[in-house]
């Protein structure tokens, strides 16, 4: 797995003055930062705003990396350093342009322009579309700037408009489109230059919740096909967990935790992250993996796994570790493989579903079958989710091992 | 009815008071200049060494006139030549054809039949009153003045928007150009260029230039940052930012500045006529000198009609503003 974009010890500071005075202020502020002074102190004493301090982050090619935090946490500032919209005061922003690694923080104007025209594209919260142009001309904007011939431009524009489903709107003015459609124009424009890296600065925050969810799904599906390296800024944990292969939480200009969705939810590094996690929507964000009681924690009796504490449910596994049969008291229950949507075909028995199934679906399955749900990974039994696990997850104690609960 | 009468009287009183006080001021001022011997010792002391403001301006203009003769002659030639060319171009078109052309232009730009009807009728009315050639002369003067003002004003406005320090320097100058009474700079231009269309046109440019500068500055500096950043993020050069983002975004405001510039140029017609420029101002000045109410009114009406036509044709439409 190669790294497409990497921030190395990036500090981004903003001086109030420009020119030599500003430079001097920045230098002394960097000194103060190294001496461990806080953001507020530096702002008061040096007149310098610390946007980002000591940020290091590597984004793997083809992954979505999410920067998350409250407003003022520096997430947008860090994102905008990736294409030079914000100047990096100290540190490196390394970008793989396909042939070499370029440091955006120190490259010259011509190099930066070349990167912006073909390697790194961007989407904006307020769309940033040119209102006097048609949809077509907005999508072709980047191509026009780099001087692509008209025929090439037309071909690419048509292709990208089809990708985002706006072909029949091509000759309308952008002001005639709804917000969701405008942002799809923004997406098509970002795709048009065939840049490998995509910067998305809260792209869905200005949209209403239904459209936002729809576009998130669309982005997820598109990503399956195009496999771009995406750096995505959001203040919405649900969005971050839904889209991110890797999530970084920022607080006060510093990255406080970087990890997978499971890491953030189950192993919060600081109280700040925990607080964030408490405000998510568990039904859509939590997956079976996050709420289940893992196979290793279940008690074994006579070669069978006991699925609940009372031992009323017993599970037998085959040689490959796949669930074979469930016994409830003395009755044998059938296994039903979950298709992801709709009710299970009768007779339902015990539902079997993949690890990544969202909590909302697990509750549906539980309600239909009346029995715990078995979670599998590549066919092998991985854990169980019964009503106890669901209640625990909704109460905010997700992932805590069963025996810890029993001890309370 | 009664209250109306009272308010009428009170406005009379209000109107009367400033006139009376102005008269008193004149009375108070005039003896002090004629009977200087009676002035106080302080006043005599202050006036003894008069700062030579007027004298230095006079000698400066004289100096410029002597040493810049070639330059002013050349400038004069270019200005007169271009005005004459535009004017004879307009004159060469038969009146009915010109009316049709202007009406078509109005339709092409505005798509409004009532406006076209108004334009055609207004131009016919001007012919009917016998001011056709004077109107063409004025139109030529206004077009050249507005063209020169735009040519100087728009680039200057753009530069001012990009360099705040330049704008800070330009602002007092623009204020000066707009507040200095026209007659004050009419005199030196008269000295430098002699009677004729040239001093009239230059005074018109001085008067009308601030509008395109200010409005271009306003338009360019209020381009949304998000659009500029979008341009930068996709690798625009500075020239591309200007041509593809700033100018289209500011177009409505810049056009408003040019329209205003045309209107201001038109308002200078009478003053330009005072120093020998032709056009609709000439009959107005003549009417003033010979107290001919009727003629003054006819020519004035022609100016107003021309102003309305130019304004309606060149004004940026509301629909274009939303795009």
């Amino acid at each position: 797995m190669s790294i497409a974009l990497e921030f190395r010890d990036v500090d981004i500071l903003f001086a109030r003055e420009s020119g030599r005075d500003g430079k001097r202020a920045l230098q002394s502020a960097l000194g103060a930062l190294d001496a461990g002074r806080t953001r507020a102190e530096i702002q008061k004493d040096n007149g310098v705003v610390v946007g980002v301090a000591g940020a290091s982050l590597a984004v793997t090619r083809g992954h979505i990396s999410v920067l998350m935090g409250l407003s003022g946490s520096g997430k947008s500032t860090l994102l905008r350093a990736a294409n030079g919209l914000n100047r990096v005061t100290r540190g490196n922003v390394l970008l793989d342009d396909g042939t070499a690694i370029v440091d955006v923080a120190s490259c010259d104007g011509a190099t930066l322009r070349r990167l912006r025209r073909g390697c790194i594209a961007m989407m904006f919260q307020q769309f940033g579309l040119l209102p006097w142009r048609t949809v077509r001309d907005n999508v072709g904007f980047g191509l026009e700037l780099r001087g692509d011939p008209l025929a090439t431009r037309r071909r690419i524009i048509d292709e990208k408009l089809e990708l985002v489903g706006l072909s029949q709107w091509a000759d309308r003015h952008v002001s005639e489109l709804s917000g969701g459609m405008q942002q799809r124009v923004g997406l098509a424009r970002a795709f048009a230059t065939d840049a490998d890296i995509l910067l998305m600065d809260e792209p869905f925050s200005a949209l209403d919740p239904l459209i936002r969810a729809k576009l998130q799904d669309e982005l997820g599906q598109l990503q399956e096909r195009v496999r771009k390296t995406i750096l995505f800024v959001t203040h919405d944990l649900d969005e971050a967990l839904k889209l991110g292969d890797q999530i970084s939480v920022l607080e006060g200009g510093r990255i406080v935790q970087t990890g997978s969705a499971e890491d953030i939810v189950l192993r919060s590094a600081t109280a700040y992250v925990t607080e964030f996690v408490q405000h998510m929507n568990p039904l859509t964000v939590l997956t079976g993996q996050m709420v289940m009681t893992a196979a290793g924690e279940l008690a074994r009796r006579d070669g069978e796994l006991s699925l609940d504490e009372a031992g009323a449910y017993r599970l037998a596994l085959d040689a490959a570790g796949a669930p074979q049969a469930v016994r409830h008291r003395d009755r044998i229950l059938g296994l039903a493989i979950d298709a992801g949507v709709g009710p299970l075909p009768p007779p339902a028995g015990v539902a079997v579903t993949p690890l990544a199934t969202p909590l909302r679906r697990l509750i549906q399955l539980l309600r239909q079958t009346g029995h715990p749900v078995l979670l599998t990974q590549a066919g092998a039994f991985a854990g169980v989710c019964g009503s106890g696990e669901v209640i625990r997850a909704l109460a905010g104690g997700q992932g805590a091992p069963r025996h810890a609960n029993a001890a309370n | 009815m009664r209250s109306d009468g009272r308010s009428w009287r009170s406005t009379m009183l209000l109107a009367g008071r400033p006139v009376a006080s102005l008269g008193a001021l004149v009375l108070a001022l005039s003896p002090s200049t004629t009977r200087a011997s009676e002035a106080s010792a302080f006043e005599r002391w202050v006036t003894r060494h008069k700062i030579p403001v007027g004298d230095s301006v006079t000698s400066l203009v004289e100096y410029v006139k002597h040493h810049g003769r070639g330059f002013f002659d050349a400038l004069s030639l270019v200005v007169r030549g271009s005005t004459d060319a535009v004017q004879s171009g307009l004159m060469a078109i038969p009146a009915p054809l010109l009316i049709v052309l202007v009406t078509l232009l109005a339709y092409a730009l505005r798509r409004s039949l009532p406006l076209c009807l108004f334009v055609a009728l207004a131009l016919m009315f001007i012919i009917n009153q016998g001011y056709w050639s004077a109107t063409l002369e004025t139109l030529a003067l206004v077009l050249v003045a507005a063209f020169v003002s735009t040519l100087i004003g728009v680039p200057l406005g753009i530069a001012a928007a990009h360099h705040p320090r330049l704008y800070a320097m330009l602002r007092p100058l623009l204020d000066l150009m707009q507040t200095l009474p026209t007659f004050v700079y009419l005199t030196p231009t008269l000295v430098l260029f002699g009677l004729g269309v040239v001093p009239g046109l230059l005074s018109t440019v001085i008067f009308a230039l601030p509008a395109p500068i200010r409005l271009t500055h306003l338009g360019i500096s209020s381009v949304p940052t998000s659009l500029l950043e979008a341009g930068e993020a996709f690798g625009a050069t500075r020239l591309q930012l200007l041509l593809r983002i700033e100018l289209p975004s500011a177009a409505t405001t810049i056009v408003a500045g040019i329209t205003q510039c045309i209107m201001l140029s038109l308002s200078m017609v009478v003053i330009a006529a005072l120093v020998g420029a032709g056009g609709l101002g000439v009959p107005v000045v003549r009417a003033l000198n010979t107290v001919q109410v009727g003629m003054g009114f006819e020519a004035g009406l022609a100016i107003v009609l021309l102003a309305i036509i130019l304004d309606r044709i060149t004004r940026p439409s509301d629909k274009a503003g939303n795009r």
Side-chain angles (χ1 to χ4, degrees):
Chain A
M1 285 289 198
S2 65
I3 302 295
L5 175 65
E6 185 180 1
F7 297 92
R8 259 188 218 160
D9 303 319
V10 170
D11 298 314
I12 303 171
L13 284 70
F14 302 101
R16 207 179 298 137
E17 313 90 345
S18 55
R20 205 175 304 156
D21 287 349
K23 255 182 206 149
R24 204 175 308 130
L26 286 180
Q27 282 311 317
S28 66
L30 281 179
L33 194 63
D34 292 339
R37 311 289 298 277
T38 68
R39 223 181 176 191
E41 284 169 349
I42 292 173
Q43 178 152 16
K44 189 158 158 270
D45 299 345
N46 306 69
V48 168
V49 176
V50 179
V52 171
S56 292
L57 177 69
V59 185
T60 310
R61 183 172 301 286
H63 277 198
I64 299 183
S65 178
V66 178
L67 302 176
M68 199 193 61
L70 300 174
S71 50
S73 62
K75 54 193 193 302
S76 281
T77 310
L78 185 61
L79 173 102
R80 290 155 56 91
N83 68 348
L85 281 185
N86 281 346
R87 281 191 71 83
V88 171
T89 314
R90 190 174 57 181
N92 308 100
V93 179
L94 304 174
L95 200 146
D96 184 357
D97 72 350
T99 51
I101 305 286
V102 184
D103 185 2
V104 177
S106 62
C107 71
D108 59 33
T111 310
L112 185 59
R113 210 150 43 233
R114 179 175 62 78
L115 293 174
R116 286 166 167 180
R117 285 178 176 188
C119 295
I120 186 160
M122 188 165 179
M123 278 174 78
F124 299 86
Q125 182 178 4
Q126 298 300 335
F127 318 141
L129 301 175
L130 309 181
W132 57 89
R133 288 180 170 224
T134 60
V135 169
R136 172 185 296 285
D137 290 344
N138 264 293
V139 174
F141 181 61
L143 306 171
E144 196 182 309
L145 289 181
R146 69 182 187 199
D148 283 5
L150 195 65
T152 320
R153 245 150 60 192
R154 280 198 81 89
R155 182 177 53 74
I156 297 177
I157 292 168
D158 287 339
E159 182 188 314
K160 303 304 172 190
L161 277 177
E162 196 176 339
L163 193 68
V164 299
L166 285 179
S167 294
Q168 66 273 42
W169 296 83
D171 295 310
R172 303 291 192 95
H173 273 269
V174 284
S175 52
E176 295 172 62
L177 271 58
S178 66
M181 287 166 110
Q182 289 195 22
Q183 194 55 298
R184 278 196 261 161
V185 176
L187 187 64
R189 176 175 70 175
F191 277 151
T193 55
D194 271 327
D196 278 336
I197 302 172
L198 206 55
L199 305 178
M200 305 179 107
D201 191 357
E202 303 209 30
F204 306 141
S205 301
L207 306 173
D208 61 70
L210 274 178
I211 303 290
R212 191 187 310 156
K214 189 158 177 282
L215 281 185
Q216 287 165 356
D217 293 339
E218 281 181 22
L219 179 67
Q221 288 157 13
L222 272 176
Q223 175 65 357
E224 294 290 318
R225 289 162 59 186
V226 296
R227 284 282 155 209
K228 302 268 183 194
T229 306
I230 298 177
L231 191 58
F232 191 106
V233 160
T234 182
H235 58 252
D236 178 358
L237 181 66
D238 295 358
E239 188 170 73
L241 295 172
K242 187 167 170 184
L243 294 172
D245 296 308
Q246 169 184 275
I247 298 163
S248 303
V249 182
L250 280 89
E251 181 194 9
R254 292 181 184 275
I255 297 180
V256 292
Q257 187 179 5
T258 296
S260 64
E262 282 78 17
D263 290 337
I264 300 291
V265 173
L266 304 181
R267 294 174 285 277
S268 301
T270 68
Y272 178 78
V273 180
T274 312
E275 206 187 313
F276 240 117
V277 168
Q278 276 167 358
H279 290 103
M280 66 182 178
N281 176 2
L283 289 182
T284 51
V285 166
L286 293 183
T287 60
Q289 186 171 21
M290 295 184 206
V291 302
M292 70 180 181
T293 301
E297 292 168 21
L298 297 174
R300 262 175 199 281
R301 250 175 253 168
D302 316 326
E304 286 179 327
L305 291 172
S306 168
L307 294 182
D308 62 340
E309 285 179 52
Y313 289 94
R314 302 290 184 83
L315 170 69
L317 300 176
D318 65 12
Q324 208 172 25
V326 174
R327 211 153 44 82
H328 181 222
R329 300 186 204 284
D330 287 319
R331 209 150 57 84
I332 302 287
L333 298 169
L335 298 181
I337 307 295
D338 173 35
V341 284
L344 293 170
V350 173
V352 180
T353 192
L355 266 188
T357 307
L359 183 58
R360 187 191 297 276
R361 179 67 185 162
L362 293 177
I363 292 174
Q364 285 168 1
L365 296 174
L366 265 174
R367 198 167 149 255
Q368 197 200 337
T369 60
H371 303 299
V373 177
L374 305 183
L375 296 159
T376 55
Q377 185 170 31
F381 177 69
V384 63
C385 174
S387 43
E389 280 82 4
V390 169
I391 289 165
R392 199 172 60 201
L394 292 179
Q398 62 273 9
R402 180 176 285 181
H403 47 80
N405 265 19
N408 283 344
Chain B
M1 282 307 283
R2 208 174 183 184
S3 70
D4 274 355
R6 196 180 295 159
S7 74
W8 167 241
R9 205 179 311 148
S10 66
T11 34
M12 281 292 279
L13 277 174
L14 277 174
R17 200 170 294 153
V19 172
S21 58
L22 198 67
L25 193 68
V26 170
L27 279 177
L29 277 173
S30 48
S32 75
T33 48
T34 50
R35 286 175 284 166
S37 55
E38 284 175 32
S40 68
F42 172 73
E43 215 173 303
R44 263 181 280 140
W45 179 73
V46 172
T47 51
R48 196 174 298 145
H49 300 288
K50 187 183 176 193
I51 300 168
V53 174
D55 290 345
S56 47
V57 171
T58 309
S59 48
L60 178 72
V61 170
E62 280 300 318
Y63 178 85
V64 169
K65 184 184 175 186
H66 277 287
H67 291 80
R69 167 122 294 171
F71 171 74
F72 289 111
D73 285 351
L75 188 63
S76 183
L77 205 67
V78 171
V79 170
R80 194 176 304 128
S82 49
T83 320
D84 285 351
V86 174
Q87 193 183 320
S88 46
L90 288 172
M91 296 276 195
I93 307 171
L97 181 60
L98 192 57
I99 292 179
V100 171
L101 288 180
V102 175
T103 310
L104 282 179
L105 180 71
Y107 185 74
L109 291 175
R110 285 292 166 268
R111 309 260 160 210
S112 151
L113 286 175
L115 176 65
C116 293
L117 189 67
F118 170 79
V119 168
L121 286 180
L123 292 175
M124 299 269 273
F125 177 77
I126 290 173
I127 296 183
N128 169 265
Q129 296 294 302
Y131 289 101
W132 183 248
S133 59
T135 302
L136 291 189
E137 274 182 66
T138 294
L139 189 59
L141 190 76
V142 166
L143 290 182
V144 173
F147 180 73
V148 172
S149 303
T150 305
L151 212 61
I152 302 171
V154 172
L156 212 52
I158 294 170
H162 289 165
H163 306 280
R165 217 173 281 170
L166 175 67
Y167 186 62
M169 288 194 304
L170 218 50
R171 245 173 75 179
L173 192 66
L174 295 180
D175 291 340
L176 188 73
M177 284 160 80
Q178 285 184 314
T179 48
L180 202 64
T182 323
F183 287 103
V184 174
Y185 54 79
L186 199 59
T187 329
T189 47
L190 203 57
V191 170
L192 292 175
F193 297 100
L195 276 176
V197 72
V198 183
L201 192 119
L202 287 182
S203 307
T204 305
V205 168
I206 292 175
F207 183 66
L209 187 55
I213 297 181
R214 281 189 205 274
L215 280 164
T216 305
H217 171 265
L218 175 70
I220 299 284
S221 36
S222 44
V223 174
T225 325
S226 61
L227 296 190
L228 293 174
E229 284 185 344
E232 275 185 65
F234 284 96
T237 60
R238 293 194 65 159
L239 185 66
Q240 283 176 326
L241 278 184
L242 177 67
L243 294 181
R244 284 162 208 261
I245 293 190
E246 289 179 311
L247 284 181
S249 176
T252 317
T253 320
I254 295 176
V255 172
I258 295 172
T259 306
Q260 219 181 79
C261 170
I262 293 176
M263 292 299 110
L264 290 173
S265 306
L266 199 59
S267 72
M268 284 288 285
V269 160
V270 175
I271 287 163
L274 275 181
V275 292
L280 286 168
V282 176
V284 175
V285 172
R286 198 179 303 142
L288 182 67
N289 290 337
T290 55
V291 200
Q292 295 191 44
V293 179
M295 183 165 76
F297 202 82
E298 286 168 10
L301 198 57
I303 295 178
V304 169
L305 289 175
L306 187 61
I308 295 176
I309 294 173
L310 287 175
D311 178 65
R312 291 300 131 88
I313 293 183
T314 56
R315 180 204 291 258
S317 63
D318 299 334
K319 238 186 345 198
N322 292 336
R323 293 267 159 98

